[in-house]
Amino acid sequence: MKRTTPLTRHIGGKVREYRLKNGWTQTELAARMQVVGCDLSREIIARIESGFRQTSVFEIDKFVEVFGITYNDLFTQSHKQNAETGIAIFSCLCCAR
């Protein structure tokens, strides 16, 4: 199956970064998302993180709420690689062309 966005340009890398920063599993993040009214399973979180599923505006709103971050935090581009995940962080789709 083909990724919806290249690995170096998807918001899932940032979702994974903030999930790991909080010490949560994908299951724990899915449960927290469900508490705030966003019905995501562990499998969907995995697909978002790996770039095989796009994220809706509603889901982005809920990620910001659950992580307690700003939209800028979620979309800020960075050209470095996350040491824990090995994923290149470059999540701002509008700037990544």
Side-chain angles (χ1 to χ4, degrees):
M1 177 181 279
K2 187 176 179 184
R3 292 181 193 282
T4 57
T5 56
L7 185 58
T8 57
R9 291 192 301 131
H10 67 88
I11 196 170
K14 284 291 192 121
V15 169
R16 183 175 184 173
E17 176 184 347
Y18 282 105
R19 177 179 62 79
L20 293 174
K21 195 177 282 189
N22 283 290
W24 301 337
T25 64
Q26 290 174 337
T27 302
E28 291 169 327
L29 175 56
R32 290 172 187 270
M33 293 292 281
Q34 290 169 5
V35 166
V36 297
C38 185
D39 192 22
L40 296 180
S41 66
R42 188 215 56 84
E43 292 79 12
I44 292 173
I45 298 286
R47 291 176 57 82
I48 289 170
E49 288 183 358
S50 62
F52 286 101
R53 182 181 180 278
Q54 293 182 347
T55 310
S56 72
V57 172
F58 175 75
E59 292 164 347
I60 290 168
D61 286 342
K62 295 305 179 181
F63 280 125
V64 166
E65 181 180 343
V66 166
F67 290 133
I69 59 175
T70 67
Y71 293 99
N72 283 341
D73 293 333
L74 197 58
F75 288 102
T76 300
Q77 71 182 32
S78 173
H79 299 287
K80 60 185 176 184
Q81 194 173 41
N82 183 305
E84 286 184 52
T85 64
I87 294 176
I89 304 165
F90 197 148
S91 297
C92 183
L93 296 177
C94 61
C95 301
R97 294 184 182 120

